[in-house]
Short mmCIF file of all heavy atoms in Angstrom, two decimals:
data_model
loop_
_atom_site.label_atom_id
_atom_site.label_comp_id
_atom_site.label_asym_id
_atom_site.label_seq_id
_atom_site.Cartn_x
_atom_site.Cartn_y
_atom_site.Cartn_z
N MET A 1 26.00 79.93 131.57
CA MET A 1 27.07 80.29 132.46
C MET A 1 26.48 81.00 133.67
O MET A 1 25.78 82.00 133.52
CB MET A 1 28.05 81.23 131.78
CG MET A 1 28.90 80.60 130.73
SD MET A 1 30.00 81.87 130.10
CE MET A 1 30.65 80.99 128.73
N ALA A 2 26.78 80.52 134.81
CA ALA A 2 26.29 81.14 136.02
C ALA A 2 27.09 82.40 136.32
O ALA A 2 28.30 82.45 136.12
CB ALA A 2 26.41 80.16 137.18
N GLY A 3 26.39 83.42 136.77
CA GLY A 3 27.07 84.63 137.20
C GLY A 3 27.49 85.59 136.10
O GLY A 3 28.21 86.53 136.36
N ILE A 4 27.05 85.39 134.88
CA ILE A 4 27.39 86.31 133.80
C ILE A 4 26.51 87.55 133.94
O ILE A 4 25.30 87.45 134.09
CB ILE A 4 27.13 85.66 132.42
CG1 ILE A 4 28.11 84.52 132.17
CG2 ILE A 4 27.21 86.68 131.29
CD1 ILE A 4 29.52 84.96 131.92
N THR A 5 27.15 88.71 133.89
CA THR A 5 26.40 89.96 133.97
C THR A 5 26.04 90.45 132.58
O THR A 5 26.62 90.01 131.59
CB THR A 5 27.22 91.05 134.68
OG1 THR A 5 28.35 91.39 133.86
CG2 THR A 5 27.68 90.60 136.07
N LEU A 6 25.10 91.36 132.52
CA LEU A 6 24.72 91.96 131.24
C LEU A 6 25.92 92.65 130.60
O LEU A 6 26.14 92.53 129.40
CB LEU A 6 23.57 92.95 131.45
CG LEU A 6 23.11 93.73 130.22
CD1 LEU A 6 22.71 92.80 129.08
CD2 LEU A 6 21.97 94.67 130.59
N THR A 7 26.73 93.32 131.40
CA THR A 7 27.91 94.01 130.87
C THR A 7 28.90 93.01 130.26
O THR A 7 29.44 93.25 129.17
CB THR A 7 28.60 94.80 131.99
OG1 THR A 7 27.66 95.74 132.53
CG2 THR A 7 29.83 95.54 131.49
N GLN A 8 29.12 91.89 130.93
CA GLN A 8 30.02 90.86 130.40
C GLN A 8 29.47 90.25 129.11
O GLN A 8 30.22 90.04 128.15
CB GLN A 8 30.25 89.77 131.44
CG GLN A 8 31.04 90.24 132.64
CD GLN A 8 31.01 89.25 133.78
OE1 GLN A 8 29.99 88.58 134.02
NE2 GLN A 8 32.11 89.14 134.50
N ALA A 9 28.18 89.96 129.11
CA ALA A 9 27.57 89.36 127.92
C ALA A 9 27.63 90.34 126.75
O ALA A 9 27.92 89.94 125.62
CB ALA A 9 26.12 88.97 128.22
N GLN A 10 27.39 91.62 127.01
CA GLN A 10 27.45 92.61 125.95
C GLN A 10 28.87 92.74 125.41
O GLN A 10 29.07 92.87 124.20
CB GLN A 10 26.95 93.98 126.45
CG GLN A 10 26.86 95.02 125.36
CD GLN A 10 25.85 94.68 124.29
OE1 GLN A 10 24.67 94.47 124.60
NE2 GLN A 10 26.27 94.63 123.04
N ALA A 11 29.87 92.66 126.28
CA ALA A 11 31.27 92.72 125.84
C ALA A 11 31.60 91.53 124.94
O ALA A 11 32.29 91.69 123.92
CB ALA A 11 32.21 92.76 127.05
N GLN A 12 31.11 90.35 125.29
CA GLN A 12 31.33 89.17 124.46
C GLN A 12 30.65 89.34 123.10
O GLN A 12 31.25 89.05 122.06
CB GLN A 12 30.79 87.91 125.15
CG GLN A 12 31.64 87.43 126.29
CD GLN A 12 32.94 86.83 125.79
OE1 GLN A 12 33.04 86.30 124.69
NE2 GLN A 12 33.97 86.93 126.61
N LEU A 13 29.40 89.80 123.11
CA LEU A 13 28.68 90.02 121.86
C LEU A 13 29.42 91.03 120.99
O LEU A 13 29.60 90.82 119.79
CB LEU A 13 27.25 90.50 122.14
CG LEU A 13 26.40 90.82 120.91
CD1 LEU A 13 26.28 89.62 119.98
CD2 LEU A 13 25.02 91.31 121.35
N ASP A 14 29.90 92.12 121.59
CA ASP A 14 30.64 93.14 120.84
C ASP A 14 31.91 92.55 120.22
O ASP A 14 32.24 92.86 119.07
CB ASP A 14 31.01 94.31 121.75
CG ASP A 14 29.79 95.11 122.20
OD1 ASP A 14 28.71 94.98 121.59
OD2 ASP A 14 29.92 95.87 123.18
N ALA A 15 32.61 91.69 120.96
CA ALA A 15 33.83 91.07 120.44
C ALA A 15 33.53 90.17 119.24
O ALA A 15 34.25 90.20 118.24
CB ALA A 15 34.53 90.26 121.54
N TRP A 16 32.45 89.39 119.34
CA TRP A 16 32.10 88.49 118.23
C TRP A 16 31.59 89.27 117.02
O TRP A 16 31.83 88.88 115.88
CB TRP A 16 31.12 87.42 118.69
CG TRP A 16 31.81 86.40 119.54
CD1 TRP A 16 31.75 86.27 120.89
CD2 TRP A 16 32.73 85.41 119.08
NE1 TRP A 16 32.56 85.25 121.29
CE2 TRP A 16 33.19 84.70 120.21
CE3 TRP A 16 33.22 85.04 117.84
CZ2 TRP A 16 34.09 83.64 120.13
CZ3 TRP A 16 34.13 83.99 117.75
CH2 TRP A 16 34.55 83.31 118.89
N LEU A 17 30.90 90.37 117.25
CA LEU A 17 30.48 91.21 116.13
C LEU A 17 31.69 91.83 115.44
O LEU A 17 31.74 91.90 114.20
CB LEU A 17 29.52 92.30 116.62
CG LEU A 17 28.12 91.80 117.01
CD1 LEU A 17 27.34 92.91 117.72
CD2 LEU A 17 27.36 91.30 115.80
N ALA A 18 32.69 92.26 116.22
CA ALA A 18 33.92 92.79 115.63
C ALA A 18 34.64 91.72 114.83
O ALA A 18 35.18 91.98 113.75
CB ALA A 18 34.82 93.35 116.73
N ALA A 19 34.65 90.50 115.35
CA ALA A 19 35.27 89.38 114.64
C ALA A 19 34.56 89.15 113.31
O ALA A 19 35.21 88.94 112.28
CB ALA A 19 35.23 88.11 115.48
N SER A 20 33.25 89.22 113.31
CA SER A 20 32.48 89.01 112.10
C SER A 20 32.82 90.06 111.04
O SER A 20 33.01 89.74 109.87
CB SER A 20 30.98 89.05 112.42
OG SER A 20 30.22 88.88 111.25
N LEU A 21 32.90 91.31 111.46
CA LEU A 21 33.24 92.38 110.53
C LEU A 21 34.64 92.20 109.96
O LEU A 21 34.87 92.37 108.75
CB LEU A 21 33.14 93.74 111.22
CG LEU A 21 31.73 94.24 111.49
CD1 LEU A 21 31.77 95.52 112.33
CD2 LEU A 21 30.99 94.50 110.20
N ALA A 22 35.59 91.86 110.81
CA ALA A 22 36.97 91.68 110.35
C ALA A 22 37.09 90.51 109.38
O ALA A 22 37.72 90.62 108.33
CB ALA A 22 37.89 91.46 111.55
N VAL A 23 36.47 89.40 109.72
CA VAL A 23 36.54 88.21 108.87
C VAL A 23 35.81 88.46 107.55
O VAL A 23 36.28 88.03 106.49
CB VAL A 23 35.99 86.98 109.63
CG1 VAL A 23 35.80 85.80 108.71
CG2 VAL A 23 36.93 86.61 110.77
N ALA A 24 34.69 89.19 107.58
CA ALA A 24 33.94 89.48 106.36
C ALA A 24 34.76 90.33 105.39
O ALA A 24 34.59 90.23 104.18
CB ALA A 24 32.63 90.18 106.70
N SER A 25 35.65 91.14 105.93
CA SER A 25 36.47 91.99 105.06
C SER A 25 37.79 91.31 104.69
O SER A 25 38.69 91.95 104.15
CB SER A 25 36.73 93.34 105.73
OG SER A 25 37.54 93.18 106.87
N GLY A 26 37.90 90.02 105.00
CA GLY A 26 39.08 89.25 104.59
C GLY A 26 40.22 89.27 105.58
O GLY A 26 41.29 88.77 105.30
N GLN A 27 40.01 89.84 106.74
CA GLN A 27 41.05 89.89 107.74
C GLN A 27 40.91 88.71 108.71
O GLN A 27 39.86 88.11 108.81
CB GLN A 27 40.95 91.18 108.55
CG GLN A 27 41.08 92.44 107.72
CD GLN A 27 40.77 93.67 108.54
OE1 GLN A 27 40.94 93.67 109.74
NE2 GLN A 27 40.32 94.72 107.88
N ALA A 28 41.97 88.44 109.41
CA ALA A 28 41.91 87.48 110.51
C ALA A 28 41.60 88.27 111.78
O ALA A 28 41.81 89.47 111.84
CB ALA A 28 43.23 86.75 110.66
N PHE A 29 41.09 87.59 112.78
CA PHE A 29 40.72 88.25 114.03
C PHE A 29 41.01 87.28 115.17
O PHE A 29 40.93 86.07 114.99
CB PHE A 29 39.23 88.62 114.02
CG PHE A 29 38.85 89.60 115.09
CD1 PHE A 29 39.04 90.95 114.90
CD2 PHE A 29 38.30 89.17 116.28
CE1 PHE A 29 38.69 91.86 115.88
CE2 PHE A 29 37.94 90.07 117.26
CZ PHE A 29 38.13 91.43 117.06
N GLU A 30 41.34 87.81 116.33
CA GLU A 30 41.65 86.96 117.47
C GLU A 30 40.68 87.26 118.62
O GLU A 30 40.49 88.41 118.99
CB GLU A 30 43.08 87.19 117.94
CG GLU A 30 43.56 86.12 118.90
CD GLU A 30 45.06 86.16 119.13
OE1 GLU A 30 45.80 86.38 118.16
OE2 GLU A 30 45.46 85.96 120.28
N VAL A 31 40.06 86.20 119.15
CA VAL A 31 39.18 86.29 120.31
C VAL A 31 39.63 85.23 121.29
O VAL A 31 39.72 84.06 120.95
CB VAL A 31 37.69 86.05 119.93
CG1 VAL A 31 36.82 86.03 121.17
CG2 VAL A 31 37.20 87.09 118.95
N SER A 32 39.91 85.64 122.51
CA SER A 32 40.33 84.72 123.58
C SER A 32 41.49 83.83 123.14
O SER A 32 41.50 82.63 123.40
CB SER A 32 39.15 83.86 124.03
OG SER A 32 38.10 84.66 124.52
N GLY A 33 42.45 84.40 122.45
CA GLY A 33 43.63 83.65 122.03
C GLY A 33 43.42 82.73 120.85
O GLY A 33 44.31 81.98 120.46
N ARG A 34 42.26 82.78 120.23
CA ARG A 34 41.95 81.92 119.08
C ARG A 34 41.89 82.76 117.82
O ARG A 34 41.10 83.72 117.74
CB ARG A 34 40.62 81.23 119.31
CG ARG A 34 40.24 80.28 118.22
CD ARG A 34 38.98 79.53 118.59
NE ARG A 34 38.60 78.68 117.48
CZ ARG A 34 37.43 78.11 117.37
NH1 ARG A 34 36.53 78.27 118.31
NH2 ARG A 34 37.16 77.35 116.34
N LYS A 35 42.71 82.45 116.83
CA LYS A 35 42.72 83.19 115.57
C LYS A 35 41.61 82.69 114.67
O LYS A 35 41.48 81.50 114.43
CB LYS A 35 44.07 83.05 114.88
CG LYS A 35 44.24 84.00 113.72
CD LYS A 35 45.65 84.00 113.20
CE LYS A 35 45.79 85.04 112.12
NZ LYS A 35 47.17 85.19 111.68
N LEU A 36 40.79 83.62 114.18
CA LEU A 36 39.64 83.28 113.36
C LEU A 36 39.83 83.83 111.95
O LEU A 36 40.36 84.92 111.76
CB LEU A 36 38.37 83.88 113.97
CG LEU A 36 38.09 83.45 115.41
CD1 LEU A 36 37.06 84.35 116.04
CD2 LEU A 36 37.63 82.01 115.44
N THR A 37 39.38 83.06 110.98
CA THR A 37 39.43 83.46 109.57
C THR A 37 38.07 83.19 108.94
O THR A 37 37.14 82.78 109.63
CB THR A 37 40.52 82.66 108.81
OG1 THR A 37 40.18 81.28 108.86
CG2 THR A 37 41.89 82.87 109.43
N ARG A 38 37.97 83.37 107.63
CA ARG A 38 36.68 83.11 106.96
C ARG A 38 36.17 81.69 107.18
O ARG A 38 34.97 81.47 107.20
CB ARG A 38 36.83 83.35 105.45
CG ARG A 38 36.87 84.79 105.10
CD ARG A 38 36.94 84.94 103.59
NE ARG A 38 37.30 86.29 103.26
CZ ARG A 38 36.62 87.05 102.44
NH1 ARG A 38 35.57 86.58 101.82
NH2 ARG A 38 36.99 88.28 102.21
N VAL A 39 37.07 80.78 107.37
CA VAL A 39 36.67 79.39 107.60
C VAL A 39 35.83 79.30 108.88
O VAL A 39 34.97 78.44 108.99
CB VAL A 39 37.93 78.49 107.72
CG1 VAL A 39 37.56 77.07 108.10
CG2 VAL A 39 38.71 78.52 106.43
N ASN A 40 36.03 80.22 109.81
CA ASN A 40 35.34 80.19 111.09
C ASN A 40 34.04 81.00 111.09
O ASN A 40 33.46 81.23 112.14
CB ASN A 40 36.25 80.74 112.19
CG ASN A 40 37.53 79.96 112.30
OD1 ASN A 40 38.57 80.46 111.86
ND2 ASN A 40 37.49 78.76 112.84
N ALA A 41 33.58 81.43 109.94
CA ALA A 41 32.39 82.29 109.87
C ALA A 41 31.17 81.64 110.51
O ALA A 41 30.40 82.31 111.21
CB ALA A 41 32.10 82.67 108.42
N GLU A 42 30.97 80.36 110.30
CA GLU A 42 29.82 79.68 110.90
C GLU A 42 29.91 79.69 112.43
O GLU A 42 28.91 79.92 113.12
CB GLU A 42 29.72 78.24 110.39
CG GLU A 42 28.47 77.52 110.85
CD GLU A 42 28.36 76.13 110.26
OE1 GLU A 42 28.75 75.93 109.10
OE2 GLU A 42 27.87 75.25 110.99
N HIS A 43 31.09 79.46 112.95
CA HIS A 43 31.29 79.49 114.41
C HIS A 43 31.03 80.90 114.94
O HIS A 43 30.38 81.07 115.98
CB HIS A 43 32.71 79.04 114.76
CG HIS A 43 33.01 79.12 116.22
ND1 HIS A 43 32.44 78.27 117.14
CD2 HIS A 43 33.79 79.97 116.92
CE1 HIS A 43 32.88 78.59 118.35
NE2 HIS A 43 33.69 79.63 118.24
N ILE A 44 31.50 81.90 114.23
CA ILE A 44 31.29 83.28 114.64
C ILE A 44 29.79 83.58 114.69
O ILE A 44 29.29 84.16 115.65
CB ILE A 44 32.03 84.26 113.71
CG1 ILE A 44 33.54 84.11 113.88
CG2 ILE A 44 31.60 85.70 113.98
CD1 ILE A 44 34.37 84.84 112.84
N ASP A 45 29.06 83.15 113.66
CA ASP A 45 27.61 83.35 113.63
C ASP A 45 26.92 82.68 114.82
O ASP A 45 26.01 83.25 115.43
CB ASP A 45 27.01 82.82 112.33
CG ASP A 45 27.34 83.68 111.13
OD1 ASP A 45 27.77 84.85 111.32
OD2 ASP A 45 27.20 83.19 110.00
N ARG A 46 27.34 81.47 115.15
CA ARG A 46 26.76 80.76 116.31
C ARG A 46 27.03 81.53 117.60
O ARG A 46 26.15 81.63 118.46
CB ARG A 46 27.30 79.34 116.41
CG ARG A 46 26.66 78.38 115.44
CD ARG A 46 26.92 76.91 115.78
NE ARG A 46 28.29 76.61 116.14
CZ ARG A 46 29.24 76.21 115.30
NH1 ARG A 46 28.96 76.08 114.01
NH2 ARG A 46 30.46 75.94 115.72
N MET A 47 28.23 82.06 117.74
CA MET A 47 28.57 82.80 118.95
C MET A 47 27.80 84.11 119.04
O MET A 47 27.38 84.52 120.13
CB MET A 47 30.08 83.04 119.02
CG MET A 47 30.90 81.76 119.14
SD MET A 47 30.38 80.66 120.49
CE MET A 47 30.78 81.64 121.91
N ILE A 48 27.58 84.77 117.90
CA ILE A 48 26.78 85.99 117.90
C ILE A 48 25.35 85.66 118.32
O ILE A 48 24.75 86.38 119.14
CB ILE A 48 26.81 86.67 116.51
CG1 ILE A 48 28.20 87.28 116.27
CG2 ILE A 48 25.72 87.73 116.39
CD1 ILE A 48 28.42 87.78 114.86
N ASP A 49 24.80 84.56 117.80
CA ASP A 49 23.45 84.14 118.20
C ASP A 49 23.40 83.84 119.70
O ASP A 49 22.46 84.25 120.39
CB ASP A 49 23.01 82.91 117.42
CG ASP A 49 22.72 83.20 115.96
OD1 ASP A 49 22.56 84.39 115.59
OD2 ASP A 49 22.65 82.23 115.18
N TYR A 50 24.41 83.12 120.21
CA TYR A 50 24.45 82.74 121.62
C TYR A 50 24.50 83.99 122.51
O TYR A 50 23.69 84.15 123.43
CB TYR A 50 25.65 81.83 121.90
CG TYR A 50 25.81 81.54 123.37
CD1 TYR A 50 25.07 80.55 123.98
CD2 TYR A 50 26.69 82.28 124.16
CE1 TYR A 50 25.19 80.28 125.34
CE2 TYR A 50 26.83 82.02 125.51
CZ TYR A 50 26.07 81.02 126.10
OH TYR A 50 26.19 80.79 127.44
N TRP A 51 25.48 84.86 122.24
CA TRP A 51 25.65 86.03 123.10
C TRP A 51 24.52 87.04 122.89
O TRP A 51 24.13 87.73 123.84
CB TRP A 51 27.03 86.65 122.90
CG TRP A 51 28.09 85.80 123.53
CD1 TRP A 51 29.04 85.05 122.90
CD2 TRP A 51 28.27 85.56 124.93
NE1 TRP A 51 29.80 84.38 123.83
CE2 TRP A 51 29.36 84.67 125.08
CE3 TRP A 51 27.64 86.02 126.08
CZ2 TRP A 51 29.82 84.23 126.32
CZ3 TRP A 51 28.09 85.58 127.33
CH2 TRP A 51 29.17 84.70 127.43
N GLY A 52 23.96 87.11 121.70
CA GLY A 52 22.81 87.98 121.48
C GLY A 52 21.62 87.54 122.32
O GLY A 52 20.93 88.37 122.92
N ALA A 53 21.38 86.24 122.36
CA ALA A 53 20.29 85.70 123.18
C ALA A 53 20.56 85.93 124.66
O ALA A 53 19.64 86.26 125.42
CB ALA A 53 20.10 84.21 122.89
N LYS A 54 21.82 85.77 125.06
CA LYS A 54 22.18 85.99 126.47
C LYS A 54 21.94 87.45 126.86
O LYS A 54 21.39 87.73 127.92
CB LYS A 54 23.65 85.60 126.68
CG LYS A 54 24.12 85.67 128.10
CD LYS A 54 23.50 84.64 129.00
CE LYS A 54 24.16 83.30 128.84
NZ LYS A 54 23.64 82.33 129.84
N VAL A 55 22.36 88.38 125.98
CA VAL A 55 22.15 89.81 126.25
C VAL A 55 20.65 90.11 126.34
O VAL A 55 20.20 90.81 127.24
CB VAL A 55 22.83 90.68 125.18
CG1 VAL A 55 22.34 92.12 125.23
CG2 VAL A 55 24.34 90.63 125.33
N ALA A 56 19.86 89.57 125.41
CA ALA A 56 18.42 89.80 125.41
C ALA A 56 17.79 89.27 126.69
O ALA A 56 16.95 89.94 127.31
CB ALA A 56 17.78 89.17 124.19
N ASN A 57 18.18 88.07 127.09
CA ASN A 57 17.63 87.45 128.30
C ASN A 57 17.98 88.28 129.53
O ASN A 57 17.12 88.55 130.37
CB ASN A 57 18.15 86.02 128.43
CG ASN A 57 17.51 85.28 129.57
OD1 ASN A 57 16.43 85.62 130.02
ND2 ASN A 57 18.18 84.25 130.05
N LEU A 58 19.25 88.68 129.65
CA LEU A 58 19.66 89.47 130.80
C LEU A 58 19.03 90.85 130.78
O LEU A 58 18.67 91.39 131.85
CB LEU A 58 21.19 89.58 130.84
CG LEU A 58 21.92 88.28 131.19
CD1 LEU A 58 23.42 88.41 130.91
CD2 LEU A 58 21.68 87.88 132.63
N SER A 59 18.85 91.43 129.62
CA SER A 59 18.19 92.74 129.51
C SER A 59 16.74 92.65 129.95
O SER A 59 16.24 93.51 130.68
CB SER A 59 18.25 93.25 128.07
OG SER A 59 19.57 93.52 127.69
N ASN A 60 16.06 91.60 129.51
CA ASN A 60 14.66 91.40 129.90
C ASN A 60 14.54 91.18 131.40
O ASN A 60 13.64 91.70 132.04
CB ASN A 60 14.04 90.24 129.14
CG ASN A 60 13.75 90.58 127.70
OD1 ASN A 60 13.63 91.75 127.35
ND2 ASN A 60 13.67 89.57 126.86
N SER A 61 15.45 90.41 131.97
CA SER A 61 15.43 90.15 133.41
C SER A 61 15.67 91.45 134.18
O SER A 61 15.01 91.70 135.19
CB SER A 61 16.49 89.12 133.79
OG SER A 61 16.17 87.87 133.24
N ALA A 62 16.60 92.26 133.71
CA ALA A 62 16.92 93.53 134.38
C ALA A 62 15.74 94.49 134.32
O ALA A 62 15.54 95.30 135.22
CB ALA A 62 18.15 94.16 133.75
N ALA A 63 14.94 94.38 133.27
CA ALA A 63 13.79 95.26 133.09
C ALA A 63 12.53 94.68 133.74
O ALA A 63 11.45 95.23 133.60
CB ALA A 63 13.55 95.51 131.60
N GLY A 64 12.68 93.54 134.41
CA GLY A 64 11.53 92.92 135.07
C GLY A 64 10.62 92.16 134.14
O GLY A 64 9.47 91.91 134.45
N ARG A 65 11.15 91.79 132.97
CA ARG A 65 10.34 91.07 132.00
C ARG A 65 10.83 89.63 131.83
O ARG A 65 10.87 89.11 130.74
CB ARG A 65 10.37 91.78 130.65
CG ARG A 65 9.76 93.15 130.68
CD ARG A 65 9.66 93.75 129.31
NE ARG A 65 10.94 93.81 128.63
CZ ARG A 65 11.62 94.91 128.40
NH1 ARG A 65 11.15 96.07 128.78
NH2 ARG A 65 12.77 94.88 127.75
N GLY A 66 11.20 88.99 132.94
CA GLY A 66 11.65 87.62 132.87
C GLY A 66 10.53 86.68 132.46
O GLY A 66 9.36 87.05 132.46
N ARG A 67 10.88 85.46 132.13
CA ARG A 67 9.87 84.49 131.67
C ARG A 67 9.12 83.83 132.82
O ARG A 67 8.08 83.25 132.61
CB ARG A 67 10.53 83.42 130.81
CG ARG A 67 10.94 83.96 129.48
CD ARG A 67 11.18 82.83 128.52
NE ARG A 67 12.59 82.57 128.43
CZ ARG A 67 13.11 81.50 127.87
NH1 ARG A 67 12.35 80.59 127.37
NH2 ARG A 67 14.40 81.34 127.81
N ALA A 68 9.64 83.89 134.03
CA ALA A 68 8.99 83.21 135.15
C ALA A 68 7.70 83.95 135.53
O ALA A 68 7.68 85.17 135.64
CB ALA A 68 9.94 83.17 136.36
N ARG A 69 6.65 83.21 135.70
CA ARG A 69 5.36 83.78 136.09
C ARG A 69 4.83 82.97 137.27
O ARG A 69 4.98 81.76 137.34
CB ARG A 69 4.34 83.69 134.95
CG ARG A 69 4.76 84.45 133.71
CD ARG A 69 4.58 85.94 133.91
NE ARG A 69 4.87 86.67 132.71
CZ ARG A 69 5.94 87.43 132.53
NH1 ARG A 69 6.83 87.55 133.47
NH2 ARG A 69 6.12 88.08 131.40
N THR A 70 4.15 83.65 138.18
CA THR A 70 3.53 82.99 139.32
C THR A 70 2.04 82.86 139.03
O THR A 70 1.38 83.84 138.72
CB THR A 70 3.75 83.81 140.61
OG1 THR A 70 5.15 83.96 140.82
CG2 THR A 70 3.13 83.10 141.80
N MET A 71 1.55 81.64 139.12
CA MET A 71 0.14 81.38 138.87
C MET A 71 -0.51 80.95 140.20
O MET A 71 0.00 80.08 140.88
CB MET A 71 -0.04 80.28 137.84
CG MET A 71 0.67 80.55 136.53
SD MET A 71 -0.11 81.83 135.57
CE MET A 71 -1.41 80.90 134.80
N VAL A 72 -1.63 81.56 140.52
CA VAL A 72 -2.38 81.19 141.71
C VAL A 72 -3.74 80.68 141.25
O VAL A 72 -4.50 81.44 140.63
CB VAL A 72 -2.54 82.39 142.67
CG1 VAL A 72 -3.36 81.98 143.88
CG2 VAL A 72 -1.19 82.93 143.07
N PRO A 73 -4.01 79.40 141.49
CA PRO A 73 -5.30 78.85 141.03
C PRO A 73 -6.46 79.51 141.79
O PRO A 73 -6.36 79.80 142.98
CB PRO A 73 -5.20 77.37 141.36
CG PRO A 73 -4.15 77.26 142.40
CD PRO A 73 -3.22 78.43 142.20
N GLY A 74 -7.54 79.79 141.07
CA GLY A 74 -8.74 80.38 141.69
C GLY A 74 -9.59 79.29 142.35
O GLY A 74 -9.64 78.16 141.88
N PHE A 75 -10.22 79.65 143.41
CA PHE A 75 -11.08 78.69 144.10
C PHE A 75 -12.51 79.00 143.89
O PHE A 75 -12.99 80.04 143.81
CB PHE A 75 -10.77 78.69 145.61
CG PHE A 75 -9.45 78.09 145.92
CD1 PHE A 75 -8.31 78.85 145.98
CD2 PHE A 75 -9.34 76.71 146.14
CE1 PHE A 75 -7.09 78.28 146.28
CE2 PHE A 75 -8.11 76.14 146.42
CZ PHE A 75 -7.00 76.93 146.49
#
């Protein structure tokens, strides 16, 4: 997603983690208008992985530890 900030990604991750806790305790949970139950546990796990990776990537970029490197060949 273009333009996602670290704050937005962290909010999404927090929401999916809350959904996971609620569903694990037998409750239903709603995220973005979608009601989730134990049947959705695999989807919740995928979303936690996705947003966790997004938060890590944005955190690394903010700290100057992005993956892009500049290589200058020696002569």
Side-chain angles (χ1 to χ4, degrees):
M1 289 182 190
I4 292 289
T5 67
L6 176 56
T7 302
Q8 292 168 324
Q10 185 64 57
Q12 286 289 331
L13 178 58
D14 292 343
W16 286 104
L17 288 169
S20 178
L21 286 173
V23 169
S25 67
Q27 301 172 26
F29 195 83
E30 193 167 320
V31 175
S32 300
R34 182 174 177 194
K35 191 170 185 174
L36 302 165
T37 62
R38 284 183 194 233
V39 174
N40 302 105
E42 186 177 324
H43 177 71
I44 293 170
D45 288 343
R46 282 195 315 268
M47 295 308 294
I48 289 171
D49 289 345
Y50 174 82
W51 287 110
K54 184 68 80 174
V55 166
N57 186 22
L58 290 168
S59 294
N60 287 338
S61 294
R65 296 187 303 251
R67 288 198 261 167
R69 299 285 184 251
T70 302
M71 304 288 278
V72 178
F75 290 91

